[in-house]
Amino acid sequence: MLPSPVLLEKTRMNLNELNSVANAMVGAGKGILAADESTPTIGKRFDTINTESTEASRQRYREMLFTTPGVADYIGGVILYDETLRQSTSDGVPFAKYLSDLGMVPGIKVDTGAKPLAGFPGETITEGLDGLRDRLAEYYDLGARFAKWRAVINIGADIPSDFCLKANARALARYAALCQEANIVPIVEPEVLMDGDHSIERCEEVTNGALGALFAALAEHKVALEGIILKPNMVISGSDAADRASPAEVAEATLRCLKAHVPAEVPGIAFLSGGQTAEEATEHLDLMNKAGDLPWELSFSYGRALQAPALDAWQGSEDNYGAGQSALFKRAKLNSLAHAGQYETSMESDAA
Ligand code: 13P
């Protein structure tokens, strides 16, 4: 049976809307601030600055980030955690409204974490599909217009298995289809971890496998590629590798991998930083954009690489609120320049 004209019209409208939200997030030199640390994870970050993690301290830290003067010129979307989506500024404006009034699209992490994959030691599967349709409807009402789901792929002697790549790709695709049904742009994140002493060649091999499985699953699940954002790892040496690939090699291998798998219909690719230093993450992004002639926006969706300098400057103290904002502003601006291929490492020492 043919779909009714009304249904067709609705689908088309939704796709246009999804595509324009995706472009607002990563177009025009903008990128995404990943501020969706779960309560245990933000607790670990606060431990590093001897700051107690309470609902109030988490609110204040996120408020510092979101209200950074001028940051909306460089940040087109902010990924929130459930608690943060329900919080407000000190003046009582819900964060989602505050952000969207400034043109920063609010989004929400919806997976419930990577859990051990039964029967496959050392590998994980990301959970959170049960009840997701209802949760997405509520998040939409709270103002979220995009979502994030992270699959975690470990590199080891005999892992990842093909099964692990496929199982995670299918979960990502089911999540993405549910998001699009709810008129929410899915950020699709298959993260190959940097942990380990593997070579860049091994990372490329595994990333090729992960992206191949992902795009096959997205096609099977009828996900519209014009309405997603891909959030991949860069192809990079393991963090304990003795012999580390150069920034030029990282840029070249990452682009080779993305060009092999990511169709031109995908409006944007926004990298995770994954444990790179803030400066490395910026330089790598810049080198790829300097190479030019890419079919997609190539941008950032950094957590640590945007926040670590701000967290460090803040130290949990009201006295350092402005210093924390300056540190975030600097990273957002430099990453926006890297998105345009106009960053130079010498800019690091210039005043923000
Ligand atoms: P990092 O940039 O710190 O890797 O975090 C990005 C993110 O959202 C991981 O899911």
Side-chain angles (χ1 to χ4, degrees):
M1 198 177 76
L2 287 171
S4 77
V6 176
L7 192 63
L8 261 183
E9 196 47 44
K10 188 165 183 292
T11 313
R12 208 172 290 130
M13 262 179 48
N14 284 356
L15 195 49
N16 286 342
E17 212 175 309
L18 291 171
N19 188 254
S20 67
V21 169
N23 281 311
M25 292 160 64
V26 294
K30 293 187 187 178
I32 300 164
L33 168 63
D36 60 325
E37 300 82 6
S38 64
T39 301
T41 300
I42 197 76
K44 285 187 214 141
R45 305 271 190 269
F46 280 15
D47 284 348
T48 66
I49 55 164
N50 296 315
T51 296
E52 195 188 350
S53 174
T54 62
E55 207 212 317
S57 65
R58 294 190 292 271
Q59 182 279 342
R60 193 61 180 147
Y61 172 65
R62 266 77 182 240
E63 178 169 33
M64 176 185 83
L65 300 177
F66 305 161
T67 63
T68 296
V71 80
D73 289 345
Y74 312 119
I75 299 294
V78 180
I79 320 177
L80 307 172
Y81 184 59
D82 182 275
E83 175 186 84
T84 321
L85 183 63
R86 299 171 197 279
Q87 286 176 327
S88 300
T89 65
S90 300
D91 295 339
V93 183
F95 279 142
K97 176 170 165 43
Y98 179 88
L99 292 168
S100 55
D101 283 353
L102 285 173
M104 296 186 276
V105 183
I108 178 76
K109 180 230 283 298
V110 300
D111 68 69
T112 56
K115 307 286 159 57
L117 180 61
F120 291 80
E123 303 198 88
T124 64
I125 180 75
T126 299
E127 295 189 345
L129 287 170
D130 287 355
L132 183 56
R133 179 178 274 124
D134 294 341
R135 289 166 58 219
L136 287 169
E138 190 198 1
Y139 287 142
Y140 189 95
D141 288 344
L142 288 168
R145 293 295 177 269
F146 73 91
K148 177 190 117 172
W149 179 290
R150 171 173 174 257
V152 180
I153 312 296
N154 268 302
I155 297 185
D158 302 314
I159 58 170
S161 64
D162 208 38
F163 179 81
C164 171
L165 296 181
K166 283 191 177 134
N168 275 290
R170 287 194 185 117
L172 276 164
R174 274 188 65 199
Y175 140 82
L178 282 163
C179 285
Q180 292 191 334
E181 180 192 85
N183 225 7
I184 284 179
V185 173
I187 292 185
V188 177
E189 180 179 0
E191 176 173 5
V192 177
L193 292 182
M194 258 175 94
D195 300 0
D197 60 2
H198 52 268
S199 64
I200 186 172
E201 289 80 13
R202 175 79 172 127
C203 179
E204 183 167 358
E205 177 191 21
V206 173
T207 306
N208 270 319
L211 292 180
L214 174 65
F215 282 95
L218 290 172
E220 275 172 0
H221 287 72
K222 304 188 180 181
V223 172
L225 297 182
E226 298 87 342
I228 70 164
I229 288 181
L230 176 68
K231 177 163 172 166
N233 53 283
M234 293 185 195
V235 174
I236 194 165
S237 315
S239 42
D240 300 327
D243 197 12
R244 303 191 58 75
S246 68
E249 287 166 327
V250 170
E252 193 185 327
T254 305
L255 281 182
R256 183 165 56 232
C257 195
L258 293 174
K259 284 180 178 168
H261 296 283
V262 189
E265 289 80 9
V266 173
I269 298 175
F271 291 106
L272 59 95
S273 60
Q276 300 179 50
T277 65
E279 293 79 8
E280 282 168 348
T282 308
E283 185 181 4
H284 290 149
L285 177 64
D286 179 68
L287 289 175
M288 286 184 248
N289 278 301
K290 277 195 168 79
D293 198 24
L294 305 172
W296 351 261
E297 295 285 346
L298 197 62
S299 186
F300 57 92
S301 175
Y302 296 156
R304 285 162 286 177
L306 279 170
Q307 289 187 53
L311 187 75
D312 208 42
W314 178 53
Q315 292 289 318
S317 163
E318 282 299 310
D319 294 345
N320 301 327
Y321 196 81
Q325 293 190 323
S326 299
L328 174 67
F329 182 86
K330 177 177 176 180
R331 293 273 34 109
K333 182 175 177 178
L334 294 181
N335 281 305
S336 174
L337 286 166
H339 180 346
Q342 291 170 1
Y343 164 83
E344 303 296 334
T345 48
S346 60
M347 293 172 178
E348 292 291 348
S349 48
D350 298 347

